[in-house]
Amino acid sequence: MNVNIIGSRMTQSKESGYVGHVEFQYEGHEAPYEITLHSKNAKDWSYSLIFSKESGSEEDILAVEERLEEDDDFYDLLVNAALQSLPRQEG
């Protein structure tokens, strides 16, 4: 897959559910992206996609957005990167 995960983090609480952030570089695009993920149950996810540092081209972000909508493997890769960074619960 033509994506490089730069970093990820996720938190979980009863009030907010799961909130994750993944910063990634998409091959051939100058600017890196950050996707924010949210789910109440860690099954049904919503997301928001932005440029993580400086703005890139609108054409590039629209292409990534389209891929997120059409390619479940790509979307799952980003969700799993965030889930893997979830701190382990003690006890």
Side-chain angles (χ1 to χ4, degrees):
M1 192 164 294
N2 47 358
V3 138
N4 179 36
I5 304 292
I6 298 167
S8 62
R9 63 191 185 284
M10 180 170 283
T11 59
Q12 189 270 328
S13 70
K14 286 183 181 181
E15 301 79 31
S16 300
Y18 294 82
V19 179
H21 304 274
V22 180
E23 186 177 1
F24 65 96
Q25 183 70 46
Y26 195 87
E27 184 179 318
H29 293 201
E30 284 189 37
Y33 299 92
E34 181 173 335
I35 188 169
T36 300
L37 301 155
H38 178 260
S39 176
K40 284 290 190 185
N41 59 14
K43 290 183 173 76
D44 301 313
W45 295 92
S46 60
Y47 74 90
S48 173
L49 181 68
I50 61 170
F51 291 108
S52 67
K53 297 188 184 344
E54 70 281 347
S55 291
S57 79
E58 183 176 358
E59 181 179 287
D60 283 352
I61 200 166
L62 290 174
V64 173
E65 186 88 42
E66 183 176 333
R67 175 126 185 239
L68 284 167
E69 294 293 328
E70 295 179 0
D71 185 347
D72 290 341
D73 290 336
F74 177 50
Y75 192 73
D76 290 345
L77 173 81
L78 299 174
V79 169
N80 289 331
L83 283 170
Q84 289 175 359
S85 70
L86 185 65
R88 301 269 182 231
Q89 298 294 324
E90 296 295 324

